[in-house]
């Protein structure tokens, strides 16, 4: 299934062990914006998609590809752990500098993983299914997917500058190229949703907004900062991106309701209530004694 990915994966061989960089690679494997997240996110969005055809195929195709990226990064992590020193003495035996590098490794790679990758981020926090969003609204999901690919490409770019290993850099360049495609692809999918008349901004566009609230609040920028620098932004004047209104700028927002005052709480919960009389306290005591 992942033939083209595996071919590149096995060409991109590291020069030697580097357990410290293997630990850093874990971020783009099991971190919040890692490949495990986007792979599962796209697949769940696809499995939950109620529109047969191109949108469902798009999601399942990309989710399947991202599973290949999971395999690729996990394999690279394992290779970087091959023949890595297992003790400080072993690490510093030939080169004292290697001892310092040893300190940056993740011992769980060897103790838990037996010298292999794990479903965790770079500091060892386990990957969580809570990172996955599949809302059933394609416009909302596609916009999040653009963000996910942007965050992924950002992290891979940073990792690229943390290694001199040509084999690792080859793999990272491949991932950067695919993230470029995926960012453009999700943005094109957003445009396609609009062209097909399936969803508009704001999401969900089918909700019947109140005309009163729309007039007063939907397109008004509220400035709570000193000065009026924010008024110079595109978000403070002119037509709104959804094409349904005009931005307005309000420098000194006013209150639309009185300051909230909470009533005394249930005395049985022992909160600090204003004006609680001793008689009330005694009443509570009598009820629970």
């Amino acid at each position: 299934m992942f033939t083209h990915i595996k071919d590149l994966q096995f060409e991109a061989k590291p020069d030697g062990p580097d357990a410290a960089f293997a630990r850093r690679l874990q971020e783009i494997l099991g971190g919040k914006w890692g490949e495990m997240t986007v792979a599962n996110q796209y697949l769940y969005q696809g499995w939950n998609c109620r529109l047969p055809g191109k949108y469902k195929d798009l999601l399942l195709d990309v989710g399947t590809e991202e599973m290949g990226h999971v395999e690729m990064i996990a394999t690279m992590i394992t290779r970087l752990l091959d023949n890595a020193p297992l003790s400080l003495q072993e690490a510093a035996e030939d080169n004292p500098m290697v001892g310092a590098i040893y300190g940056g490794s993740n011992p769980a790679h060897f103790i838990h993983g037996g010298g292999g990758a794990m479903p965790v981020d770079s500091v060892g926090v386990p990957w969580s299914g809570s990172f996955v969003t599949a809302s059933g609204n394609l416009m909302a999901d596609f916009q999040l997917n653009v963000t996910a690919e942007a965050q992924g490409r950002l992290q891979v770019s940073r990792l690229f500058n943390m290694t001199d290993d040509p084999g690792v850099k080859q793999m990272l360049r491949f991932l950067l190229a695919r993230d470029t495609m995926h960012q453009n692809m999700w943005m094109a999918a957003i445009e396609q949703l609009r062209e097909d008349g399936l969803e508009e901004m704001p999401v969900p566009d089918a909700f019947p907004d109140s005309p009163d609230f729309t007039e007063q609040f939907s397109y008004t920028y509220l400035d709570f900062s000193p000065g009026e620098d924010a008024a110079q932004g595109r978000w403070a004047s002119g037509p709104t991106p959804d094409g349904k209104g005009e931005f307005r700028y309000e420098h000194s927002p006013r209150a639309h309701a009185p300051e909230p005052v909470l009533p005394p709480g249930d005395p049985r919960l022992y909160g600090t209530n204003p004006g609680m009389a001793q008689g009330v306290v005694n009443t509570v005591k009598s009820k629970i004694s």
Side-chain angles (χ1 to χ4, degrees), residues 70 183 192 207 227:
V70 170
Q183 285 187 45
Q192 185 76 71
F207 183 83

Side-chain angles (χ1 to χ4, degrees), residues 11-19 21-22 25 76 79-82 159-173:
E11 290 172 5
K13 296 180 180 178
D15 278 349
D18 189 345
F21 195 73
L25 274 183
M76 180 59 79
R79 284 181 169 153
L80 288 169
L81 295 171
D82 283 344
L159 285 167
F160 187 86
N161 291 312
M162 296 179 187
T163 181
D164 294 322
D165 190 307
V168 175
K169 281 183 174 288
Q170 182 188 17
M171 182 196 73
L172 296 178
R173 283 197 181 279

Side-chain angles (χ1 to χ4, degrees), residues 125-201:
V125 177
W127 181 82
S128 172
S130 65
F131 298 156
V132 171
T133 299
S135 71
N137 183 291
L138 294 182
M139 179 67 84
D141 286 350
F142 288 174
Q143 291 188 81
L144 178 60
N145 294 351
V146 174
T147 299
E149 294 290 346
Q151 292 292 336
R153 182 174 158 85
L154 180 62
Q155 292 185 354
V156 173
S157 298
R158 290 168 174 168
L159 285 167
F160 187 86
N161 291 312
M162 296 179 187
T163 181
D164 294 322
D165 190 307
V168 175
K169 281 183 174 288
Q170 182 188 17
M171 182 196 73
L172 296 178
R173 283 197 181 279
F174 174 79
L175 294 175
L176 289 165
R178 293 310 296 162
D179 285 347
T180 299
M181 169 59 188
H182 292 165
Q183 285 187 45
N184 282 284
M185 178 194 70
W186 292 124
M187 288 189 287
I190 289 170
E191 293 177 3
Q192 185 76 71
L193 281 174
R194 290 188 173 117
E195 291 174 8
D196 290 346
L198 292 172
E199 191 69 59
E200 286 285 353
M201 291 290 290

Side-chain angles (χ1 to χ4, degrees), residues 160-283:
F160 187 86
N161 291 312
M162 296 179 187
T163 181
D164 294 322
D165 190 307
V168 175
K169 281 183 174 288
Q170 182 188 17
M171 182 196 73
L172 296 178
R173 283 197 181 279
F174 174 79
L175 294 175
L176 289 165
R178 293 310 296 162
D179 285 347
T180 299
M181 169 59 188
H182 292 165
Q183 285 187 45
N184 282 284
M185 178 194 70
W186 292 124
M187 288 189 287
I190 289 170
E191 293 177 3
Q192 185 76 71
L193 281 174
R194 290 188 173 117
E195 291 174 8
D196 290 346
L198 292 172
E199 191 69 59
E200 286 285 353
M201 291 290 290
V203 178
D205 74 304
F207 183 83
D209 289 327
S210 162
D212 293 339
F213 280 94
T214 297
E215 173 66 25
Q216 196 167 9
F217 298 112
S218 290
Y219 302 110
T220 300
Y221 181 89
L222 304 179
D223 188 350
F224 293 96
S225 303
E228 298 187 11
D229 291 347
Q232 301 171 23
R234 168 68 180 82
W235 50 82
S237 63
T240 57
D242 63 11
K244 300 176 182 178
E246 291 278 331
F247 282 125
R248 293 184 298 275
Y249 172 80
E250 190 170 322
H251 174 57
S252 300
R254 63 182 178 84
H256 294 274
E259 181 179 354
V261 177
L262 296 176
D266 189 326
R268 294 170 296 176
L269 300 180
Y270 302 104
T272 303
N273 291 322
M276 177 179 282
Q278 187 62 38
V280 177
V281 175
N282 291 335
T283 301

Side-chain angles (χ1 to χ4, degrees), residues 88 91-101:
L88 181 58
E93 194 172 76
D94 299 322
N95 186 345
M97 290 297 294
V98 178
I101 296 174

